[in-house]
Amino acid sequence: MLQNSFGVHISSASVDRGDGSDPRSLAHDILAGLRVPAGVRDAEDEWDDHSAALLAIPVTDDGHVLTLTEEDRIASTLSVADLREAFRSQGLTLWLEDGTEPDDDGIDAEDPEDVGDEEDEDDLEDEELDSNTSPFTLPTVQVCAFSHRGPAVARLLSSIRRTVVDHQESGEWSLQQFETSEPTGDWTTSRAELPVIELNRVDSDAWIEVTPPKGGPIPFWIDAERGTRPVLDIEAIRIPETAEICRRLLAEGDGSRDELLELAAMVRLDVDAAHRALMPESLGGVVGTEARQRAFLAAFGIAPDLIDAAFGGQTARPNRRFLPLGPWATVRETAIAGVGEFTALTRRDRPLARLGEAIRRRPVVGLALALAEFTAGMWLTSRTRGRGRSFGVLLVVDALIDVAIWITRIRRGRQG
């Protein structure tokens, strides 16, 4: 049989034993004896009682399990049923995602006792749902959101979500840190602010969500495959092509590399670096939880000092803290801050944005422009009719607002 003459995929499986003890060692021995190039998750990465194990088993498209011959060539002669029987003979139950489950005989619909039991269970579930009137409470998540967003989003997010938001910038990247129980990756004013890359932490659990310019957030569980170890010694496989196939099956079988390649078509991303942060440590992946998170974030080109700040490191960049405000106060502060805070960090070097920032730094010039606008509006109001007069009124109103804003800016500048 040719090495690549059939389709194969990695299927997640679990195995347990009746006495509740850890089945990993025995599962490893069974797979090794059958020479299945599978992976077994380390015990410390799963449940505290270790009563079940997660496996990564290569399964062909026609429902057979991949194995190696004595000559280290790939074969597909072992059926899923035979593999399940091998586990059963050792007192283990293998739950393999192949469309069937062990010992699943179903319910005989013609048996009135079975039907009655099923109806009773449905009624009991309905009663439990009806009696549970309390809303489900989502956990509070500590979010470190990296993007090209300016401080305007931080101000709005703080006021609407009623939470404190710390905003920090470095080059074209910003970091906004806050706590919430609701999604925030879509809080943008333009596509230029994307991608939004959120590091989410709840107690000891953490994951990263990436919101690209097209589509919704894509979650990445950084440690999902961290503790997976190959059953067979890949370095000992004598045929290099076979060894490479086995390594790639365990390293890329979860489909994360394919997701990264699709993501790289939309945003700047070092696919190899990001994939190393998702791979099993035993196959060359980044070692350590925090190191994996840092490596994954760095693959997007995020400023290193912002990554350090997300993990509690000191940085020379100043922070801006936004506290929740009422609706009118938020509108007032947003107007005083100006449209420059809505400008994506990637567009601040454009001529119009630079001109606006230059005027922003010279309040006297801005006040003079507002007074000129007021004068032009008064002239149009007194000398024209119809649309011209209406436009003049709008200029006058806008000028008065601008004058009030510039006076406030000048006063705050003197106080600062």
Side-chain angles (χ1 to χ4, degrees):
M1 174 178 292
L2 296 177
Q3 294 285 81
N4 297 314
S5 62
F6 51 86
V8 62
H9 64 277
I10 287 292
S11 182
S12 298
S14 63
V15 58
D16 55 51
R17 64 199 316 171
D19 59 7
S21 59
D22 187 356
R24 285 173 175 79
S25 178
L26 184 54
H28 178 281
D29 293 343
I30 295 173
L31 293 170
L34 295 172
R35 304 212 71 199
V36 179
V40 180
R41 192 74 54 83
D42 273 351
E44 60 268 19
D45 291 336
E46 286 303 318
W47 299 274
D48 293 336
D49 60 3
H50 308 321
S51 61
L54 284 184
L55 310 175
I57 299 178
V59 180
T60 64
D61 292 342
D62 61 356
H64 286 74
V65 178
L66 217 63
T67 58
L68 300 187
T69 66
E70 293 297 329
E71 297 78 20
D72 286 342
R73 296 191 176 277
I74 294 178
S76 59
T77 56
L78 179 65
S79 69
V80 171
D82 290 338
L83 179 63
R84 185 175 291 131
E85 181 57 35
F87 275 80
R88 183 182 289 112
S89 65
Q90 297 295 323
L92 302 181
T93 302
L94 176 66
W95 305 86
L96 182 59
E97 295 180 358
D98 64 339
T100 63
E101 297 295 352
D103 301 329
D104 184 10
D105 297 330
I107 297 176
D108 186 358
E110 296 182 358
D111 189 341
E113 294 183 0
D114 286 343
V115 174
D117 292 341
E118 184 178 11
E119 291 176 351
D120 291 342
E121 291 177 0
D122 292 340
D123 292 341
L124 181 58
E125 291 177 359
D126 292 339
E127 290 176 2
E128 291 177 351
L129 291 174
D130 292 339
S131 62
N132 185 14
T133 57
S134 61
F136 177 72
T137 303
L138 296 175
T140 300
V141 181
Q142 295 180 343
V143 181
C144 296
F146 303 89
S147 67
H148 304 301
R149 298 181 295 192
V153 173
R155 178 182 288 106
L156 295 175
L157 181 62
S158 173
S159 297
I160 295 177
R161 288 284 189 259
R162 311 305 299 173
T163 185
V164 177
V165 178
D166 288 324
H167 178 85
Q168 191 172 342
E169 297 178 8
S170 180
E172 294 184 345
W173 285 95
S174 67
L175 167 63
Q176 295 172 352
Q177 301 185 75
F178 51 90
E179 293 184 351
T180 184
S181 59
E182 301 180 30
T184 57
D186 57 346
W187 280 69
T188 56
T189 60
S190 70
R191 285 191 175 184
E193 297 176 338
L194 297 169
V196 177
I197 306 162
E198 291 186 346
L199 170 62
N200 301 276
R201 288 177 284 205
V202 181
D203 298 328
S204 60
D205 196 11
W207 71 96
I208 293 177
E209 289 186 2
V210 181
T211 303
K214 297 180 181 179
I218 304 172
F220 292 92
W221 299 88
I222 304 300
D223 281 346
E225 300 298 328
R226 176 188 173 190
T228 299
R229 296 185 178 275
V231 169
L232 304 180
D233 184 359
I234 296 179
E235 299 298 328
I237 297 176
R238 291 164 293 180
I239 300 178
E241 294 81 1
T242 301
E244 178 61 16
I245 290 174
C246 294
R247 189 197 67 81
R248 290 187 61 184
L249 278 173
L250 294 177
E252 305 176 16
D254 62 345
S256 59
R257 186 174 182 85
D258 294 335
E259 288 185 316
L260 293 173
L261 289 171
E262 294 178 3
L263 192 57
M266 296 182 282
V267 301
R268 173 189 173 187
L269 174 63
D270 185 338
V271 174
D272 291 335
H275 188 234
R276 282 194 296 272
L278 301 174
M279 287 171 50
E281 292 181 357
S282 61
L283 296 175
V286 179
V287 178
T289 296
E290 182 176 320
R292 293 167 72 87
Q293 295 171 5
R294 284 175 172 268
F296 189 84
L297 295 172
F300 289 88
I302 298 173
D305 55 338
L306 294 185
I307 296 178
D308 289 338
F311 290 91
Q314 298 296 325
T315 176
R317 303 286 178 177
N319 287 335
R320 292 184 62 183
R321 171 160 289 189
F322 294 92
L323 302 177
L325 300 174
W328 290 113
T330 301
V331 173
R332 182 190 69 237
E333 294 301 318
T334 301
I336 293 173
V339 296
E341 289 197 351
F342 283 96
T343 303
L345 273 58
T346 53
R347 294 181 175 178
R348 285 186 174 176
D349 288 336
R350 294 189 176 185
L352 186 60
R354 295 175 63 183
L355 177 61
E357 181 61 22
I359 296 175
R360 177 72 174 78
R361 294 177 179 177
R362 297 169 176 81
V364 176
V365 175
L367 184 59
L369 291 175
L371 292 175
E373 182 184 11
F374 176 80
T375 302
M378 291 297 296
W379 186 87
L380 287 174
T381 302
S382 60
R383 299 296 181 88
T384 61
R385 295 181 180 180
R387 295 183 178 179
R389 187 172 185 177
S390 299
F391 182 67
V393 172
L394 291 176
L395 288 179
V396 170
V397 173
D398 183 66
L400 291 174
I401 295 174
D402 288 343
V403 168
I405 290 174
W406 282 112
I407 291 175
T408 302
R409 289 174 178 172
I410 292 173
R411 288 178 177 176
R412 291 186 178 182
R414 291 175 178 175
Q415 294 174 357

